Amino acid sequence: MRRVVCPGSFDPVTNGHIDIISRASTLFDEVIVAVGVNQSKARLFTADERLSMLAEVCDGYDNVRIDSFDGLLTDFCRDRGARAIVKGLRAVSDFDYELQMAQMNSSLAAVETVFVPTSPEYSFLASSLVKEVATFGGDVSRLVPPLVLKRLTERLSGRGGAGRPGETG
Ligand code: ADP
């Protein structure tokens, strides 16, 4: 069984994330989407909200499951029996950091990192940018799934619970 982990904060999940998750699901037997729930970082959506949006948008993939981690990613991989981490690479600018992280992780545990190049239509896409554009009323409907768009709109208009980008934990 080739099991891999797709880690991230997914605050919120975008079409770029789904592209990588879906392609990983065709390459490996099982994909665990791992949501980092480090309390010290400010998030727009709570861990439970991020997990539930991911669960809904990944519902159609039989070999994808959603989980969370709160410590070292390599410990999580070992505990779940995953031998590899899948990361999307958007641009050369992602590469320096991702290479360093991949080498650090493989020095900590027997875990390889597999890089999947982003599809060109998503190479500019990041959760932080989606939140920024949406905050100022920009149209992000082609960048996130409909249910995320709905929750984002509610949250930013103050109807859906917590606060604006950077205000919640
Ligand atoms: P982080 O908070 O660590 O930046 P994100 O939740 O934004 O994590 O993203 C998690 C991972 O998803 C990234 O490390 C990257 O591998 C992948 N990813 C994010 N956005 C895209 C995209 N537009 N195209 C391809 N991969 C992406």
Side-chain angles (χ1 to χ4, degrees), residues 119-135:
S119 299
E121 65 266 39
Y122 301 129
S123 60
F124 63 93
L125 188 47
S127 298
S128 54
L129 258 184
V130 165
K131 286 182 283 192
E132 199 171 328
V133 170
T135 301

Side-chain angles (χ1 to χ4, degrees), residues 3 5 11 29 46-47 91 113 142-143 147 161 165 167:
R3 180 178 294 145
V5 169
D11 185 40
D29 298 320
T46 66
T113 299
R142 277 167 298 141
L143 309 180
L147 89 98
E167 289 183 355

Side-chain angles (χ1 to χ4, degrees), residues 12-20 122 125 140-146:
V13 57
T14 69
N15 291 342
H17 294 127
I18 296 167
D19 176 50
I20 295 298
Y122 301 129
L125 188 47
V140 294
S141 59
R142 277 167 298 141
L143 309 180
V144 295

Side-chain angles (χ1 to χ4, degrees), residues 24-134:
S25 79
T26 67
L27 294 170
F28 299 97
D29 298 320
E30 186 176 298
V31 177
I32 304 175
V33 180
V35 181
V37 295
N38 187 336
Q39 295 294 336
S40 67
K41 291 196 183 162
R43 302 287 181 208
L44 180 61
F45 293 99
T46 66
D48 283 348
E49 289 169 334
R50 287 179 275 143
L51 284 157
S52 92
M53 285 189 273
L54 270 165
E56 280 192 58
V57 300
C58 293
D59 193 34
Y61 300 99
D62 289 344
N63 63 342
V64 173
R65 63 187 170 96
I66 316 300
D67 205 338
S68 62
F69 71 102
D70 187 15
L72 276 180
L73 180 59
T74 46
D75 287 345
F76 176 84
C77 292
R78 194 197 47 230
D79 293 348
R80 298 295 184 277
R83 291 286 317 281
I85 295 165
V86 171
K87 299 297 295 273
L89 278 186
R90 283 165 286 205
V92 180
S93 51
D94 279 346
F95 185 73
D96 276 349
Y97 175 76
E98 292 294 350
L99 178 65
Q100 196 179 10
M101 186 57 76
Q103 290 170 335
M104 173 60 83
N105 284 338
S106 74
S107 81
L108 293 171
V111 178
E112 293 290 348
T113 299
V114 177
F115 294 117
V116 176
T118 186
S119 299
E121 65 266 39
Y122 301 129
S123 60
F124 63 93
L125 188 47
S127 298
S128 54
L129 258 184
V130 165
K131 286 182 283 192
E132 199 171 328
V133 170

